[in-house]
Amino acid sequence: MPTPVTTYHLEMHDPAELRPKPCPNPEFVVRECVVKQYQYNRFLYDLVGAPWQWVDKHSWRDTDWRLYAESDNLRTFVGYLGGSPGGYYELARYPSGRIQIEYFGLAPAFIGQGFGGYLLSTAVAHAWEWGTAVVSVHTCTLDHPHALQNYLARGFRLVRTTVTPEA
């Protein structure tokens, strides 16, 4: 019998709502991938998403990845420590002007060290800097057990919950 999946849709409507978390290690730096390379987005998606069953893009071909990752409406940021990617996020601008955190997460070796709250804080700050009236994100019961708690702790508000059978 399939296990239902609950998806939580969250929004933030004002930059003042962000409750940032400080960086746990001053050597952890977040950089934007200014030179867009779809292969790196695919690598990050697999690195971060494997433990959480991110499979929605596994059927994509190179052309699909290129169109997605190299779009002018997508920005990719990576957190590094000691030269290694510790986590990443993608910000997508929609025609409505809303900015959504499309993908967000930490590499397995970085989970449980306090980087998630800081990385999410930078994601939200970069979304507001890009210019928007709404920053949105969603998470589900397949994600890290503390994902929803992290979003709420940073100032997001739950706007909708949906339940679907697991695919």
Side-chain angles (χ1 to χ4, degrees), residues 2-26:
T3 303
V5 176
T6 303
T7 302
Y8 306 96
H9 303 266
L10 302 113
E11 293 181 351
M12 190 179 293
H13 292 264
D14 190 300
E17 294 172 349
L18 172 60
R19 293 189 300 270
K21 184 172 181 186
C23 186
N25 183 328

Side-chain angles (χ1 to χ4, degrees), residues 139-156:
T139 189
C140 72
T141 50
L142 296 176
D143 285 337
H144 188 281
H146 298 300
L148 178 60
Q149 177 185 340
N150 189 19
Y151 293 122
L152 295 171
R154 302 289 73 78
F156 280 97

Side-chain angles (χ1 to χ4, degrees), residues 17-137:
E17 294 172 349
L18 172 60
R19 293 189 300 270
K21 184 172 181 186
C23 186
N25 183 328
E27 295 180 22
F28 185 80
V29 294
V30 178
R31 299 282 184 255
E32 182 172 7
C33 297
V34 177
V35 177
K36 297 182 179 207
Q37 302 175 88
Y38 72 91
Q39 300 93 332
Y40 195 44
N41 287 71
R42 180 169 42 206
F43 165 78
L44 294 166
Y45 173 88
D46 288 335
L47 175 70
V48 170
W52 315 113
Q53 303 169 16
W54 291 3
V55 296
D56 57 316
K57 290 183 172 39
H58 281 181
S59 64
W60 281 21
R61 298 178 306 171
D62 285 352
T63 54
D64 300 314
W65 275 103
R66 180 176 281 120
L67 284 171
Y68 171 77
E70 296 182 6
S71 165
D72 290 339
N73 292 317
L74 188 84
R75 295 172 67 188
T76 303
F77 295 80
V78 181
Y80 296 94
L81 181 64
S84 296
Y88 87 115
Y89 54 89
E90 294 173 346
L91 301 178
R93 179 187 298 282
Y94 284 82
S96 65
R98 172 179 59 92
I99 294 177
Q100 180 164 300
I101 301 171
E102 287 292 312
Y103 287 93
F104 170 86
L106 296 174
F110 289 78
I111 293 173
Q113 300 176 48
F115 292 110
Y118 174 71
L119 191 63
L120 181 56
S121 297
T122 67
V124 174
H126 282 130
W128 287 118
E129 289 169 7
W130 198 7
T132 187
V134 179
V135 178
S136 63
V137 68

